[in-house]
C-alpha cells in the first residue's frame, strides 16, 4: 500500500526565513503527489499538485524519486502561512488519496 | 460552480446513541465522494468512499457505516456511538488527480 511520512508534527520558523515541510513516500510506480493546507477556521484545501509543476503562494514542491520525497518549500515564510499541511499520494490504481499525519507550521513575527 | 455542504457543524451525542452526518454536493454529477476523520496527531484517516449510487468502499472496519442514497448525497451513520468515535469528520468530493474539495467538517463529541 502507498504510504506517506511527514516526520515533523510541528515546525516553527520566523517570518522571512526559509521553510521546508518534509514528505517521504513509498510507491512502486510513478507517483503523483499533492499538498493540502488547512488554515485556522478554514476548510482543508488543495495547495499544489506535482503534476502541475506549479507554484502557489510562493510554495513549490519537487519530486525526488531517488530520495522518494516531495518536500514543500518556500524561500521566505509569511505569518499567513501558519497552517496545517498534509502531503497526499494516491493509493495506486484506485480512486482515493492517502494523507500523511500532517505538519503544523507556525510562522512567528 | 461546484459546492459541498456538510452538516451539522458540531454535534454532541451520548454513548450508545445513533449518528447520521450528511454531505451533499451541488453543481456536478456522479462525483466520487469520501468520508475522512481528522484526529489530532493521527492525520486524516479515510473511512469510506463511493464512486456511484449504492457503491460504498470501507477502508477501516469500525463502528461506522456509509450510504449513498442519491448521486450527490453521502451519509455517515452509526447505530451505537462509542467514545472513540469522537473526532472531526470531513466529507470530500473529486478526483484524486484533480484534487479534492472538502466540506467544512463536523465536530463530533461522544459523551
Amino acid at each position: 500500500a502507498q504510504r506517506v511520512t511527514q516526520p515533523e508534527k510541528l515546525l516553527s520558523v520566523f517570518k522571512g526565513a526559509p521553510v521546508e515541510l518534509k514528505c517521504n513516500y513509498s510507491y512502486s510506480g510513478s507517483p503523483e503527489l499533492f499538498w493540502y493546507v488547512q488554515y485556522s477556521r478554514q476548510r482543508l484545501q488543495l495547495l499544489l499538485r506535482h503534476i502541475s509543476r506549479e507554484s502557489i503562494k510562493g510554495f513549490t514542491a519537487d519530486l525526488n524519486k531517488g530520495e522518494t520525497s516531495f518536500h514543500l518549500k518556500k524561500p521566505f515564510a509569511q505569518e499567513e502561512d501558519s497552517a496545517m499541511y498534509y502531503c497526499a499520494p494516491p493509493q495506486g490504481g484506485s480512486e482515493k488519496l492517502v494523507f500523511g499525519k500532517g505538519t503544523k507550521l507556525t510562522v512567528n513575527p | 460552480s461546484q459546492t459541498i455542504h456538510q452538516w451539522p457543524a458540531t454535534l454532541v451525542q451520548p454513548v450508545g446513541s445513533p449518528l447520521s452526518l450528511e454531505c451533499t454536493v451541488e453543481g456536478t454529477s456522479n462525483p466520487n465522494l469520501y468520508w475522512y476523520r481528522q484526529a489530532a496527531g493521527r492525520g486524516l484517516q479515510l473511512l469510506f468512499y463511493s464512486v456511484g449510487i449504492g457503491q460504498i468502499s470501507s477502508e477501516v472496519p469500525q463502528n461506522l457505516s456509509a450510504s449513498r442514497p442519491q448521486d450527490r448525497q453521502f451519509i455517515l451513520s452509526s447505530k451505537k456511538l462509542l467514545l472513540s468515535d469522537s473526532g472531526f469528520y470531513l466529507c470530500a468530493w473529486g478526483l484524486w488527480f484533480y484534487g479534492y474539495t472538502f466540506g467544512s467538517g463536523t465536530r463530533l463529541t461522544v459523551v
Side-chain angles (χ1 to χ4, degrees):
Chain A
Q2 174 69 293
R3 295 192 186 280
V4 61
T5 302
Q6 292 181 253
E8 303 142 328
K9 286 187 177 180
L10 304 171
L11 183 61
S12 183
V13 301
F14 286 101
K15 177 182 174 181
V19 62
E20 179 180 73
L21 295 100
K22 293 183 169 55
C23 172
N24 291 91
Y25 66 91
S26 63
Y27 192 60
S28 58
S30 179
E32 293 299 341
L33 289 129
F34 303 78
W35 278 99
Y36 281 76
V37 62
Q38 189 171 29
Y39 301 102
S40 178
R41 290 185 291 276
Q42 292 188 31
R43 301 184 183 201
L44 187 63
Q45 57 187 286
L46 177 66
L47 179 62
L48 59 79
R49 300 173 290 179
H50 160 250
I51 194 172
S52 300
R53 302 290 195 272
E54 57 201 347
S55 174
I56 304 295
K57 298 184 179 182
F59 283 98
T60 58
D62 292 324
L63 180 65
N64 186 321
K65 292 185 179 181
E67 296 181 356
T68 60
S69 68
F70 189 54
H71 302 331
L72 184 69
K73 301 176 183 179
K74 185 170 183 177
F76 307 103
Q78 303 299 314
E79 290 180 66
E80 56 266 30
D81 296 328
S82 296
M84 194 75 181
Y85 292 81
Y86 293 93
C87 180
Q91 193 69 41
S94 70
E95 299 291 338
K96 53 192 179 184
L97 286 177
V98 176
F99 287 82
K101 293 187 177 182
T103 297
K104 184 176 181 180
L105 173 66
T106 301
V107 181
N108 299 299
Chain B
S1 63
Q2 300 92 352
T3 56
I4 180 168
H5 303 281
Q6 191 179 342
W7 68 91
T10 59
L11 191 60
V12 180
Q13 293 282 97
V15 169
S17 64
L19 172 73
S20 181
L21 302 181
E22 190 162 342
C23 172
T24 59
V25 179
E26 296 177 356
T28 186
S29 297
N30 196 31
N32 287 353
L33 297 170
Y34 305 85
W35 278 111
Y36 283 87
R37 179 165 55 200
Q38 187 178 30
R42 298 185 61 184
L44 284 162
Q45 181 185 33
L46 178 61
L47 302 176
F48 302 95
Y49 71 98
S50 172
V51 298
I53 296 175
Q55 300 179 58
I56 307 295
S57 295
S58 175
E59 291 299 299
V60 183
Q62 56 196 332
N63 189 40
L64 301 170
S65 62
S67 61
R68 185 169 177 174
Q70 300 180 43
D71 182 41
R72 288 168 284 182
Q73 183 185 30
F74 204 24
I75 298 172
L76 183 68
S77 304
S78 174
K79 292 182 179 179
K80 290 185 178 181
L81 283 169
L82 306 172
L83 287 174
S84 57
D85 293 324
S86 294
F88 192 58
Y89 290 84
L90 288 168
C91 180
W93 79 272
L95 298 172
W96 66 262
F97 48 86
Y98 289 130
Y100 288 175
T101 299
F102 282 87
S104 53
T106 296
R107 174 75 60 190
L108 172 66
T109 304
V110 182
V111 297

